Amino acid sequence: MIDRIKEILKFKEMIKSFTVRELKTRYKGSFLGFLWTFLNPLLQLLVYSLIFPFILRINEKNYTMFLFVALVPWGFFTNSVQGAANLIIGNSNLVTKVYFPREVLPIVHTMSGLFNTIFTYMIVFPMLLLFKIPLTIHLIWLPIILFGQTILNLGFSLMISSFNVFFRDLEYLISVGLMALYFMTPIMYNPDILPKTVQKILIIFNPMTGYVILYRDVMYYGVEPRYRLLLYSLGLSVFILFLGCFVFQNLQKKFAEIL
């Protein structure tokens, strides 16, 4: 594992250049280009402000921001998972003809999603203040929470990108799975409305449940994160990352043969 990490680090310039290229091409051809990075969350916020409070009628103060601070990390997660399916297949010419650690592709994909999420927070913070939600000292935990989720996303990206080479229907199953997972993640509702047993099950088996709660703690409620939940979420992320690395390293040996 250590030798593999050293090998990947030798290609750090490749990771950097590919990440920059992916960020630049995300909105290539559109009239507003990179401005969509900021316009997308603003337009989403407008929709949430006008529609959701009236449709769902949830008794939550500042429900728009309650929803928004959870949807940003959820978007990071879904984009990482859905985009991972075609990482190897979509770059088959590169994979079969050029030598580089194949892990570079999921890393680049995850890093570009991370930077796009960071840019989105440039909209989230002013909106929190606009909705009279104070930014507290507990925001110092945000980088740690975001780092943990990035590790989680990378682990899933490694697994999904390698599995999809052998089972091409996986990307369609992922769409259905994410739809189900969305409702099992406390994004539109407060998890406290659920029985304690159900809350524990969701936290244990749905890694995004813990992260949504942690993001809300430090951003929406302005309190310190639940430390046991933070440690569990970080530990689960590390486990999924190691599992993803294990799966990827064992399957990548046959990439060229299958592609």
Side-chain angles (χ1 to χ4, degrees):
M1 178 66 73
I2 295 176
D3 291 337
R4 193 60 181 172
I5 292 174
K6 289 180 179 178
E7 181 70 12
I8 293 171
L9 289 176
K10 291 179 182 178
F11 290 81
K12 58 181 179 294
E13 289 301 320
M14 181 182 185
I15 294 173
K16 179 181 176 181
S17 61
F18 274 34
T19 302
V20 172
R21 185 188 68 177
E22 186 165 334
L23 287 170
K24 287 182 177 179
T25 57
R26 184 179 294 266
Y27 301 108
K28 186 177 180 180
S30 65
F31 179 72
L32 294 175
F34 191 70
L35 284 175
W36 279 111
T37 302
F38 305 101
L39 287 175
N40 266 333
L42 280 175
L43 292 173
Q44 290 177 25
L45 184 61
L46 179 62
V47 171
Y48 302 150
S49 301
L50 296 176
I51 298 177
F52 278 90
F54 301 100
I55 293 179
L56 298 179
R57 297 187 181 278
I58 293 178
N59 187 25
E60 179 74 45
K61 185 180 179 181
N62 286 320
Y63 180 69
T64 300
M65 296 309 299
F66 174 88
L67 184 65
F68 198 50
V69 297
L71 280 168
V72 171
W74 176 256
F76 180 23
F77 177 74
T78 55
N79 289 335
S80 294
V81 170
Q82 285 183 316
N86 284 308
L87 283 178
I88 307 299
I89 297 172
N91 292 280
S92 57
N93 289 333
L94 193 62
V95 171
T96 55
K97 295 178 181 179
V98 181
Y99 172 75
F100 64 97
R102 307 310 184 220
E103 293 90 341
V104 165
L105 295 175
I107 290 172
V108 167
H109 177 63
T110 305
M111 291 301 295
S112 66
L114 171 62
F115 283 114
N116 195 63
T117 302
I118 292 172
F119 295 145
T120 302
Y121 279 125
M122 295 173 66
I123 299 298
V124 175
F125 292 142
M127 291 300 103
L128 285 169
L129 293 174
L130 185 63
F131 280 82
K132 298 182 180 180
I133 299 174
L135 305 180
T136 69
I137 188 64
H138 299 298
L139 279 173
I140 61 174
W141 291 98
L142 182 60
I144 297 174
I145 299 169
L146 187 56
F147 175 73
Q149 191 196 343
T150 303
I151 291 175
L152 177 76
N153 291 1
L154 178 57
F156 278 117
S157 293
L158 286 164
M159 282 189 279
I160 292 168
S161 61
S162 55
F163 279 138
N164 199 55
V165 174
F166 302 89
F167 184 58
R168 304 292 175 92
D169 293 333
L170 181 61
E171 60 181 300
Y172 304 107
L173 295 175
I174 287 172
S175 298
V176 177
L178 285 173
M179 186 186 303
L181 192 64
Y182 177 81
F183 292 102
M184 290 188 288
T185 306
I187 295 172
M188 295 191 298
Y189 56 89
N190 192 318
D192 292 339
I193 67 173
L194 302 173
K196 293 291 184 181
T197 304
V198 176
Q199 292 182 42
K200 290 179 180 179
I201 291 173
L202 289 178
I203 289 172
I204 292 171
F205 295 104
N206 177 4
M208 279 306 296
T209 295
Y211 279 110
V212 165
I213 293 172
L214 291 168
Y215 279 111
R216 278 211 181 106
D217 281 347
V218 300
M219 297 183 68
Y220 179 75
Y221 294 113
V223 298
E224 60 185 5
R226 305 169 204 198
Y227 295 118
R228 290 180 62 183
L229 180 59
L230 178 60
L231 287 174
Y232 175 78
S233 297
L234 291 175
L236 183 59
S237 295
V238 172
F239 170 76
I240 291 175
L241 176 61
F242 275 99
L243 181 61
C245 290
F246 175 79
V247 169
F248 194 93
Q249 287 186 33
N250 282 276
L251 294 181
Q252 71 168 330
K253 301 170 185 177
K254 296 185 178 181
F255 283 174
E257 178 185 338
I258 299 296
L259 295 172

